[in-house]
Structures are given as C-alpha cells and as structure tokens.
Amino acid sequence: GSLDMDRIEFLELAELVKEIPLESSLENGLISLLTYKHETLAKATTDTERNQVYETMKSKIDGSLTPEQLKKLKSNKKLYENLIK
C-alpha cells in the first residue's frame, strides 16, 4: 500500500533515526515491527498480552541493532521505551 507518513510507526521510526542512522533495509524491518506492535496492542485485552508484545519488541529491536546502536538507543530511555510500547 501507499506509505502514510502520519502513521504512528513512521513517527516512531523518525525519532529513532534522528538519534541513530539506520540502513534502509533495517528501517523497513522496523516499520513492519512497529506496525505489528500497534496492531497487536490494539487487540490486546490483558496486561499479559501487552507484556508479551513488549518482550517481543525488546528482543527484536535488541537483535536488529549493532551493539553500538543499541547502547546509544538504551542511553535514550524515553526513545527506547517508546519503541517497545
């Protein structure tokens, strides 16, 4: 579909790339991941379900970035939390 730049996941990604430049393939992967997060959280009804999404996001993000990028991201706690939740 067409890219809608007002969508929340694009805004979240924009915040991230302001801090940490990423390769475009990684950006695309993160867009899919953030889309998954928002769609799944929208359907989640329990804290358990929500926490599962947070855990998934955490491991995917941690696995997508280089140790250097991850260190930089985690030093910006607000940004990191925002991506996961």
Side-chain angles (χ1 to χ4, degrees):
S2 66
L3 294 183
D4 176 0
M5 295 315 272
D6 293 333
R7 285 191 9 219
I8 182 93
E9 49 269 32
F10 287 101
L11 299 173
E12 288 173 343
L13 185 68
E15 285 298 303
L16 174 60
V17 292
K18 258 200 314 226
E19 294 294 316
I20 304 162
L22 302 172
E23 292 145 27
S24 55
S25 59
L26 186 53
E27 282 189 27
N28 292 335
L30 287 172
I31 285 289
S32 305
L33 190 57
L34 291 165
T35 303
Y36 152 82
K37 175 188 75 171
H38 290 290
E39 288 173 354
T40 312
L41 285 177
K43 291 188 288 236
T45 50
T46 65
D47 282 345
T48 309
E49 286 177 349
R50 278 184 283 273
N51 287 329
Q52 254 175 334
V53 177
Y54 303 153
E55 286 308 309
T56 302
M57 291 303 292
K58 214 175 257 184
S59 66
K60 294 266 191 200
I61 288 172
D62 291 6
S64 301
L65 301 177
T66 67
E68 200 52 45
Q69 290 169 327
L70 197 57
K71 201 171 113 196
K72 198 169 173 187
L73 175 57
K74 287 188 170 173
S75 70
N76 187 336
K77 200 154 174 42
K78 189 170 169 290
L79 180 61
Y80 187 57
E81 291 281 301
N82 208 12
L83 288 171
I84 289 166
K85 304 184 173 178

